[in-house]
Amino acid sequence: MKDNKTQSASPMPQENKMGVMPIAPLLAGMAVPMMISMLVQALYNIVDSVFVAKISQDALNAVSLAFPLQNLMIAVGGGTAVGMNALLSRSLGEKRQDQADQAANTGIFVFLVSAVVFGVCGFLLARPFFLAQTDIKPIVDYGTDYARICLGLSIGIFSQFCFERLLQSTGRTVYSMITQLIGAVINIILDPILIFGLFGFPRMEVAGAAMATVFGQIVAAFIGLWMNLRFNKDIHIRLRSIRPDRAVVREIYRVGLPSIIMQSIGSIMTFGMNKILISFTDTATAVFGAYFKLQSFIFMPVFGLNNGMVPIISYNYGAARLDRVRKTFRLTAATATVIMVIGFSAFNLIPGTLLGFFSPSEEMLAIGTVALRTISVAFLLAGFCIIAGSMFQAIGNPLHSLVVSICRQLLVLLPAAWLLAQTGKLDFVWFAFPIAELMSLTLSVIFLRKTMRDAEEKIGALGN
């Protein structure tokens, strides 16, 4: 009787397309909308900086120095989403509807708690964070305003993360794309209005860029919630179920915590690089900030491809269909590599044109041209490494991703950059990026072979 009641409360959906549809069209259908939405995300990230750069280089530096804080929010949101989606997709593949619903509802609770924590930290720690990097007053003032708004109203970014990833985890990437597009378009429209005070609005400068960002995120979050309630029939969101479940939270963070740490390491790396670069000239930090905005046009589509791959891998691993897991990985890795080759070509052929979006000085152009050409060598290896890292996470073995990320960014990249900086030649510092990526590739290949062997043994044992 208990089983019958459970089934009645949470009806079992039919076989999800992730288990039966041919891999190439399945991956295209799930990843292309995400790649488009990620490109739009990259566009509005650049638009922020393009408009802010028109205020002054100090304003651009403030936004650049705020990146580690924004990246930390993305790390927590993205990592939590990885854990939630992996558990949800795997549960659907195993036909465990109740566990899939618990993953969704508990995930919503965890995201809300994260928003509260970051909101408090933003108001208390923003100014000390900037003072730890520079004593240039305009940069500190601009950066404090920007960070307090972005973190203080982080309910937008965390809710958007949650509801978009719930749509992704069940294969409804078109709906997820729509929510991201709407949020990005709102941001792009509001940026010049709030930054420069158009149409009767007050001139808010850097704070206006932050307000445009959070308003777009909040609107996108509401639309994402509505789309899940209206169209996502594979999960059942219930207000009374949005509460902590110890076992589910533990499983979400078992997979998601390494991803959070990995991406948080990116914040540490960026903070450290900014400290190294500003010792040469504050223009170097502006270049580094511009680079991060530009490279998002290359990396964001790969992350979108990645987001399309993860639920397919998790679902088919849960369903013990290892052949589909392999096919999905190979196709995704090959596509990511092609994207990265295109990015490498653009950064080498037209670096001046790309930097021209940021109203650069002659010094910024000279430094930036060398930086873009040197750093982009790492792109040729990065595509495979990114996809391999998500492969580890998708089948519930995230420790390998964590080890690769720590080694790449903390044990190789930052020490290499510091050592190269001791030569007194800024141009040498950029070589730390391809050096670190080579190490990342080596470890990724080793761990990928081990991961696939372990998966074969586990599925073979279950079959016996």
Side-chain angles (χ1 to χ4, degrees), residues 252-464:
I252 286 175
Y253 283 113
R254 185 186 72 81
V255 176
L257 185 58
S259 181
I260 292 172
I261 295 173
M262 271 193 308
Q263 294 182 69
S264 298
I265 288 168
S267 294
I268 298 172
M269 180 276 291
T270 305
F271 182 87
M273 283 297 299
N274 282 331
K275 294 284 286 184
I276 292 170
L277 294 172
I278 207 167
S279 67
F280 286 94
T281 167
D282 61 346
T283 302
T285 62
V287 167
F288 192 48
Y291 157 74
F292 262 105
K293 301 295 184 179
L294 291 169
Q295 61 93 31
S296 67
F297 262 107
I298 312 304
F299 281 83
M300 283 295 194
V302 174
F303 293 146
L305 181 67
N306 216 25
N307 291 339
M309 177 198 78
V310 167
I312 300 174
I313 296 287
S314 293
Y315 185 97
N316 286 284
Y317 179 67
R321 296 169 184 168
L322 203 56
D323 59 324
R324 291 177 63 83
V325 170
R326 291 195 190 93
K327 288 179 183 178
T328 302
F329 173 79
R330 286 196 293 265
L331 180 59
T332 308
T335 307
T337 300
V338 170
I339 293 171
M340 286 298 187
V341 169
I342 294 172
F344 168 79
S345 302
F347 273 47
N348 277 269
L349 295 175
I350 54 170
T353 302
L354 296 175
L355 291 166
F357 289 112
F358 302 94
S359 306
S361 62
E362 289 298 320
E363 182 186 17
M364 185 174 175
L365 271 176
I367 293 172
T369 297
V370 175
L372 295 190
R373 285 175 171 163
T374 304
I375 297 174
S376 65
V377 173
F379 292 2
L380 301 176
L381 310 177
F384 178 89
C385 296
I386 291 170
I387 303 305
S390 291
M391 177 72 167
F392 306 146
Q393 296 169 340
I395 64 175
N397 189 10
L399 183 60
H400 296 330
S401 298
L402 177 59
V403 171
V404 172
S405 185
I406 290 175
C407 290
R408 176 185 176 274
Q409 299 189 80
L410 297 187
L411 300 185
V412 178
L413 197 156
L414 274 182
W418 182 83
L419 287 171
L420 292 168
Q422 304 315 301
T423 65
K425 300 288 187 180
L426 175 60
D427 290 350
F428 289 176
V429 175
W430 310 117
F431 282 100
F433 287 88
I435 291 170
E437 207 62 55
L438 181 60
M439 182 283 308
S440 177
L441 177 68
T442 303
L443 286 181
S444 294
V445 170
I446 293 171
F447 288 147
L448 183 62
R449 289 177 176 173
K450 183 179 186 307
T451 296
M452 292 311 298
R453 284 198 304 267
D454 292 344
E456 289 171 358
E457 291 174 2
K458 181 177 179 180
I459 290 176
L462 291 174
N464 295 329

